[in-house]
Structure formats: structure tokens, C-alpha cells
Amino acid sequence: MPDERLAGLRPGRDTTGQATRPVAPSPVWRPFCSPERLAEVPSTNLALAERAKEGAPEGTVLLAESQSAGRGRLGRRWLDPPGGSILCSLLFRPRLPLEEWFLAPMAVSLAARAACEQVAGAETACKWPNDLVSLPDGLKLAGVLAETVGETPGSAPRALVVGIGLNCNWPADFPPAGLEGDELATRATSLDRLTGRPVDKSALEAALLSEVARRWHPLAEAGLAPGKAALLSEFRAACATLGQQVRVELPTGAVEGEALAIEEDGRLRVATEVGEATFGVGDVVHLRPKGAPPGR
Ligand code: BTN
């Protein structure tokens, strides 16, 4: 006598014995590997922060073709030509002490560097804290903005949104003329201008996400120490800031000196005229990039 409770579970047959369509296996959640694509949003970081508040899991990714109110670091705007940049936000729920969360944007910056090398053959370097710059001229190719989500007075944040804007294929008329555009044109570039050919943006997006997953997986699964050591050592080797004369621009003024080290907590240690100082935030200007004219 067949057990009717199991009838519906037999592959390929319904309860009447009729053939059915094969049942799709339940999807396996692979963090950072199933991005949601949007046409235009004000900001992918803001949109993902909303999803985070609704309980979206670690590894949720939003990609947009364009942003009407892209957010940059230190309250700046992030400009993009529609369709010409990767505009991507990734959700992290680090099971790490808050002081180690800097590892997430560091992983994204390193992943972008690896993706640019693999897909476009572009030689790039990281610039502290998390920019990606072209070599040898030090023009900005990508910026990273990390924003915590869910803190209330007296309680720690619950999640971290890391957004990256990666300049891929810029039309000839971008950046637009005007104060902001002119300034951008002097200090930024795109991968197609750097390499002299259009970039396959879909391939670059896929490489970026799988490189993020590869770097974050050990930190999410194997605990802090080995994953952190690997990430910091990759970042120190990739970081064009180390050994440079730099100006660190802070809300309170600027400090100049030689960039000596990236500390274990991600801060930048600089030898200034009045002694060594470490910085956790700030904008860095490389005063003498290796092999390039000064001033970036
Ligand atoms: C910087 O100032 O260098 C950081 C720029 C970060 C821009 C990206 S674009 C995708 C994501 N959404 C935003 O609004 N900002 C980040």
C-alpha cells in the first residue's frame, strides 16, 4: 500500500501518477554572487541600507546603471555617466568586533583591483584608505564608501553597506564641463581611457563579486586571524601610498609626511616633522607618486 504522505514527493509523478515537471533544487545561497540589477536609483548604498533594515542577508548585492544622488566619502557627491560605471553596493554582517569591520571595504578595494587586472589587463594600485588608482599616473579609477546600518543610541551597528563606484567606459563628454566636472577630470579616469579599449562591464562585475566572495569567505567562516593576516598583507603589497610623501587632509587641517605603514587596525602611520601620527579617516594626496609627476 503506497504511503499517500510521500506520494507528492516522488520525483516526476504527482499524486495521481501523472508525469510532472522536474522540481528545481532549492537554490543554494552563495553570498555576493546573485546581484539584483536596477536601472536608476538615487544611491545603491541608500537602497541597500533599506534592505538591510528589512533583514536582507549578508551577501546581498545591488547594481545600478545610474545614480541620481551617488554618495562619496566625506559628504561628497559621486558622479557617473549612465551605464558607464559599475555602481555596486554589497551587504556585510560581519561576525567580527566592530574595530575589524574596516576589513570589508579593504576586501572590496582589493577585489576591484584583481578584477581590473583579470578582465581589462589594467595595472592599478590601492590608495589608502580604499581608492583604486591607475599606474603609473595615480588617477582615481574607483572609490569605496562604507556605511554602517542599524545602530541606535547605545547599541552597535548590525550591518555594513560597502559601495563601490568603478569607472569603466566613460563617454567623450564626461565629466561634464563645470567646476565639479573639471576637478574630476584632473584627478580621475576610466578603465577604457586607461587601456585604450572598451571594457566588458558584465565580466568585470562578475569578477568583482567573485573576488569579494573569495576574500570575505575566510573571514566569515574561518575566524579573524588567518583571513585578516592574508587581507592586510595583500593590501600592504598593493598600496601605492606606502613609502610616498603624502598630505593627509582632515576636517581640522592638513598634515604632511612620509607614509610608513598600514597598522593592524587599518590606520595609516605617517612620519611628520613633529613625530609619527596615525590616521583612521582623511583624504590622502600622494605628493610624489612613484614614477609619476607630483600632485595627485
Ligand atoms: C569615494 O568618495 O571615493 C567613494 C565613492 C563611492 C561611490 C559608490 S557608487 C555605488 C555606491 N552608491 C553610492 O551612493 N556610493 C557608492
Side-chain angles (χ1 to χ4, degrees), residues 23-288:
V23 178
S26 57
V28 177
W29 174 240
R30 293 176 57 225
F32 307 113
C33 290
S34 309
E36 184 181 335
R37 291 171 190 278
L38 308 167
E40 190 192 294
V41 278
S43 152
T44 54
N45 266 29
L46 278 183
L48 190 56
E50 287 308 311
R51 306 283 175 89
K53 287 177 199 157
E54 291 157 8
E58 171 158 280
T60 304
V61 177
L62 294 184
L63 286 166
E65 283 301 300
S66 92
Q67 296 182 134
S68 52
R71 292 148 69 90
R73 288 177 61 241
L74 307 172
R76 287 185 293 243
R77 288 207 304 157
W78 182 263
L79 298 181
D80 65 88
S85 300
I86 289 182
L87 306 167
C88 177
S89 295
L90 308 101
L91 183 60
F92 294 83
R93 293 191 180 275
R95 283 170 295 177
L96 303 172
L98 194 56
E99 60 271 21
E100 308 289 357
W101 286 22
F102 75 92
L103 294 165
M106 186 176 273
V108 171
S109 172
L110 287 167
R113 180 169 181 260
C116 289
E117 212 274 321
Q118 283 164 28
V119 175
E123 214 193 325
T124 66
C126 297
K127 176 173 167 236
W128 188 89
N130 291 306
D131 284 357
L132 194 65
V133 295
S134 62
L135 289 177
D137 52 5
L139 294 171
K140 181 158 168 166
L141 279 166
V144 171
L145 173 66
E147 299 183 282
T148 54
V149 184
E151 57 266 62
T152 51
S155 86
R158 293 165 182 272
L160 183 68
V161 169
V162 179
I164 177 164
L166 174 50
N167 308 331
C168 295
N169 298 309
W170 272 4
D173 59 357
F174 189 85
L179 212 53
E180 204 175 10
D182 292 347
E183 203 264 328
L184 187 59
T186 63
R187 62 179 179 80
T189 191
S190 56
L191 276 174
D192 68 331
R193 292 184 190 177
L194 179 66
T195 61
R197 53 189 180 274
V199 176
D200 181 342
K201 205 174 94 168
S202 305
L204 196 62
E205 283 165 357
L208 170 69
L209 297 183
S210 86
E211 290 294 325
V212 171
R214 198 163 73 74
R215 283 169 181 76
W216 192 247
H217 182 78
L219 282 161
E221 300 298 325
L224 179 61
K228 177 175 176 174
L231 214 54
L232 272 177
S233 116
E234 184 185 0
F235 189 78
R236 287 170 179 140
C239 184
T241 307
L242 290 177
Q244 299 285 349
Q245 280 299 121
V246 296
R247 185 169 64 245
V248 185
E249 295 176 344
L250 308 160
T252 49
V255 179
E256 288 192 10
E258 183 188 348
L260 296 177
I262 308 292
E263 304 281 22
E264 287 291 298
D265 60 3
R267 293 163 68 90
L268 181 70
R269 180 148 51 92
V270 177
T272 74
E273 273 186 350
V274 292
E276 292 185 8
T278 59
F279 301 94
V281 289
D283 254 354
V284 163
V285 178
H286 291 175
L287 299 174
R288 286 200 297 273

